[in-house]
Amino acid sequence: GNSVTQMEGPVTLSEEAFLTINCTYTATGYPSLFWYVQYPGEGLQLLLKATKADDKGSNKGFEATYRKETTSFHLEKGSVQVSDSAVYFCALSDRGFGNEKLTFGTGTRLTIIP
Amino acid sequence: NAGVTQTPKFQVLKTGQSMTLQCAQDMNHEYMSWYRQDPGMGLRLIHYSVGAGITDQGEVPNGYNVSRSTTEDFPLRLLSAAPSQTSVYFCASTPTSAAYNEQFFGPGTRLTVL
């Protein structure tokens, strides 16, 4: 079956530090890959996505590249801000009509200190 | 558009009580799903529906029932609540025809079973 393994948290960084959150996956087909973010007290929001090998998703200064050879989708940001404090989830979805199930990683809690 | 709405936001039940968590979306999405979020376990799929009148089990369906009589609504029923069902519940929807399977999440319902 499909699975997602995420870097365990919590992660605490100083403002303007470089961020990497590791994510690797196992899938039988050719999944789409996602990073979702959950701010305190809210539901999940899509942060970025990539649908095929070597695609790079980007949003709000965050980036992640779909690496088929290493089955990875690591999240990076060059300079984090206090407002980036949240829980980040890596997820994959099998392609195909009627099969839009997401498999999530366990989440990584990120705290940015001023 | 209101997006995905969930009610109630908070609920406390006693063991053995029943209740229904409501979920509605106004985006005409065909696919809807329920997840539960527990510490250290990410989100796990409870039940999902690919359209009105069609439902199926996810990863952790025991103790929960669903039905889908309309495209808009997808209620989750707890027939006899147990402390193990203490969790945060999220409803999500996606248009089945979406090529990238992005899911839109509601704000969540925090349930405590005593």
Side-chain angles (χ1 to χ4, degrees):
Chain A
N2 298 334
S3 67
V4 175
T5 301
Q6 251 183 272
M7 168 180 173
E8 286 196 23
V11 174
T12 303
L13 295 173
S14 297
E15 205 165 21
E16 299 183 1
F18 184 86
L19 168 70
T20 299
I21 301 178
N22 290 337
C23 171
T24 57
Y25 68 90
T26 302
T28 53
Y30 301 93
S32 297
L33 301 174
F34 306 84
W35 277 100
Y36 280 84
V37 58
Q38 183 181 30
Y39 298 105
E42 299 183 10
L44 279 72
Q45 305 172 24
L46 180 66
L47 179 60
L48 53 83
K49 62 191 178 192
T51 59
K52 61 182 187 298
D54 300 325
D55 267 2
K56 177 184 282 187
S58 61
N59 186 26
K60 299 181 180 180
F62 290 90
E63 292 183 342
T65 301
Y66 190 141
R67 300 286 188 200
K68 190 168 182 287
E69 64 276 14
T70 55
T71 61
S72 65
F73 193 54
H74 304 321
L75 182 68
E76 296 181 337
K77 186 174 185 181
S79 176
V80 292
Q81 306 300 314
V82 172
S83 57
D84 294 327
S85 298
V87 181
Y88 292 82
F89 292 92
C90 185
L92 69 81
S93 175
D94 276 334
R95 297 188 184 184
F97 187 84
N99 192 24
E100 290 77 6
K101 289 183 278 188
L102 279 173
T103 299
F104 285 90
T106 54
T108 302
R109 182 176 299 278
L110 174 67
T111 302
I112 307 301
I113 54 177
Chain B
N1 285 352
V4 180
T5 57
Q6 290 183 239
T7 56
K9 291 197 72 172
F10 302 94
Q11 183 70 49
V12 179
L13 293 178
K14 294 181 179 178
T15 297
Q17 286 185 313
S18 63
M19 79 159 295
T20 299
L21 279 63
Q22 301 292 344
C23 173
Q25 52 90 10
D26 61 359
M27 298 174 283
N28 202 33
H29 287 174
E30 296 181 33
Y31 183 89
M32 297 184 73
S33 52
W34 277 101
Y35 295 87
R36 59 177 289 172
Q37 183 183 25
D38 301 295
M41 304 193 74
L43 277 76
R44 292 180 292 169
L45 183 65
I46 304 172
H47 284 285
Y48 66 98
S49 168
V50 298
I54 306 169
T55 64
D56 206 347
Q57 297 181 350
E59 182 184 355
V60 288
N62 292 342
Y64 308 94
N65 278 356
V66 292
S67 60
R68 184 96 179 270
S69 56
T70 66
T71 299
E72 295 77 20
D73 300 298
F74 190 44
L76 178 71
R77 297 183 189 85
L78 284 70
L79 300 178
S80 179
S84 61
Q85 294 178 304
T86 294
S87 187
V88 181
Y89 292 85
F90 289 100
C91 180
S93 73
T94 187
T96 304
S97 58
Y100 309 118
N101 299 346
E102 175 182 349
Q103 296 204 15
F104 297 82
F105 285 82
T109 294
R110 184 175 293 275
L111 175 67
T112 301
V113 183
L114 303 175

